[in-house]
Amino acid sequence: MSNPLMSKKLPAVYKMQNGKLLNKLEFIDYFENKVFKTIKKFNLFDLNDKFVVAVSGGKDSITVLYLAQKYLKRKNLHKNLIALAINEGIEDYREHTLEFLKEFCAKLDVELHIESYKEKYNKTLDSSIKILRDKKTNISPCNICGTFRRTALNTGARKLGATKVITGHNLDDEGQSILLNMMKNNYKVLPRLGPSNGVVGDEMFIPRVKPLYLCTEKEVRLYTIIKGFDVGYDECPYSKDSFRSNLADTLNILEDKHPGIKSSLINFYLTIQPTLREQYVKEEGTLVTHCTKCGEPSQRKVCNTCEMRAIIDGENSNGENSDENNANQ
Ligand code: FES
Ligand code: ZN
């Protein structure tokens, strides 16, 4: 019997769900096609769009930046793409990834903009976390970071004239978000997940799209290794004990024992998403409110970002409303 590993000149690097083995060239083809098909299938890109890619310097954002540019290059639209990084102010971590990003973007010839929490919110993430820990609130670092990040990305992208924000969220991230919001009973967040965010439109909110939506974290990692992207694989120092990372570990264990469950979870979500969105519109309507403090789109009178800033700055002491809305990635 012929050994599939020997029958190819290049060794196999990846085994597909159906058992087929791929060498590195075949894997690159498979992976890139999957991303490009995702863009088409979910209509993520409009040819008139101006794109901002949210980049952190990690494997997902680097991959999505590279492939979005490759996709747009074929249509000669690659100049409509800019990268935007957020410097949260995490000592001994973010400065390294930003250095890498600057080099990577320069090589790709993509313009890179950087927004910082310090400039936008007057405080770094490190100092905000310290304040909240001293106050003994139950707000987690990821909760603050995610909330601030979404606002900074939206306002930053708007400033740059973007009509779409491309993010590097992969299938694993999405699976975690689905479960996380179910377990926290954030039923209003669930309809807003998916390959393109949002249920109702607002001109101040720049829609976010996820071309890596159907790619597992493993696949993205392998792609960056094969492509030789010199990505640091270090994680954010605050991520270790987060609820999300516990869920990630659990899903990985389950996937090892029952291959395919992550994809099933995503497919299940995609099946029920239209119903969830319909229900959301029925209950909430299509009118988008704006935060009375900062004017940004918000589900409540005062947005999560303003509320959290008030707690950090000592204007408010509870944080009861600081729920897991930020689980909306
Ligand atoms: Fe960095 Fe949560 S704050 S992963
Ligand atoms: Zn606000």
Side-chain angles (χ1 to χ4, degrees), residues 49-53 84 150-167 196-198 200-209 296-297:
D49 273 327
K50 262 203 90 183
F51 300 97
V52 153
V53 185
L84 173 63
R150 265 192 313 285
T151 301
L153 262 183
N154 193 50
T155 54
R158 214 169 53 219
K159 238 174 24 195
L160 293 167
T163 56
K164 287 270 166 68
V165 174
I166 299 172
T167 70
S196 53
N197 282 72
V200 291
D202 181 85
E203 58 181 20
M204 288 184 74
F205 179 75
I206 315 300
R208 289 192 292 264
V209 294
E296 289 297 313

Side-chain angles (χ1 to χ4, degrees), residues 77-139:
L77 291 169
H78 54 290
K79 288 291 163 201
N80 293 349
L81 178 142
I82 298 173
L84 173 63
I86 309 290
N87 182 357
E88 306 92 339
I90 305 173
E91 217 187 321
D92 207 21
Y93 169 67
R94 184 51 79 213
E95 62 267 34
H96 307 304
T97 59
L98 286 176
E99 273 322 301
F100 167 71
L101 258 182
K102 284 178 195 163
E103 280 173 34
F104 193 85
C105 288
K107 267 190 218 153
L108 283 188
D109 194 22
V110 170
E111 209 176 306
L112 171 67
H113 289 256
I114 301 175
E115 295 266 326
S116 82
Y117 284 4
K118 175 82 177 144
E119 269 172 41
K120 196 164 169 53
Y121 306 122
N122 289 326
K123 285 181 182 65
T124 62
L125 181 64
D126 284 343
S127 56
S128 297
I129 288 171
K130 185 174 178 324
I131 292 169
L132 290 176
R133 279 183 178 157
D134 290 348
K135 286 182 190 241
K136 301 201 184 332
T137 69
N138 59 1
I139 304 172

Side-chain angles (χ1 to χ4, degrees), residues 151 290-296 298 301-307:
T151 301
H290 292 93
C291 170
T292 50
K293 275 186 147 181
C294 69
E296 289 297 313
S298 166
K301 236 172 109 184
V302 175
C303 74
N304 284 344
T305 296
C306 285
E307 189 193 43

Side-chain angles (χ1 to χ4, degrees), residues 4-13 22-26:
L5 279 169
M6 300 298 289
S7 64
K8 294 188 175 76
K9 281 190 187 129
L10 293 167
V13 293
L22 304 180
N23 66 36
K24 65 180 183 180
L25 297 179
E26 290 165 335

Side-chain angles (χ1 to χ4, degrees), residues 88 90 93 125 129 141-143 145-146 236-239 242:
E88 306 92 339
I90 305 173
Y93 169 67
L125 181 64
I129 288 171
C142 290
N143 202 335
C145 189
C236 167
Y238 295 114
S239 71
S242 69

Side-chain angles (χ1 to χ4, degrees), residues 225-287:
I225 293 170
I226 294 174
K227 293 294 284 181
F229 298 157
D230 196 13
V231 185
Y233 292 97
D234 287 348
E235 302 253 311
C236 167
Y238 295 114
S239 71
K240 291 182 185 67
D241 279 324
S242 69
F243 189 53
R244 180 179 283 278
S245 86
N246 293 336
L247 267 180
D249 293 343
T250 310
L251 274 172
N252 285 339
I253 293 169
L254 287 172
E255 178 74 30
D256 275 349
K257 288 192 178 159
H258 311 280
I261 54 132
K262 289 180 187 173
S263 294
S264 295
L265 178 60
I266 298 300
N267 289 333
F268 170 74
Y269 174 78
L270 287 173
T271 308
I272 62 163
Q273 193 199 44
T275 313
L276 290 174
R277 289 192 167 181
E278 247 173 59
Q279 183 64 23
Y280 180 94
V281 170
K282 231 186 248 169
E283 281 178 22
E284 302 293 312
T286 50
L287 269 185

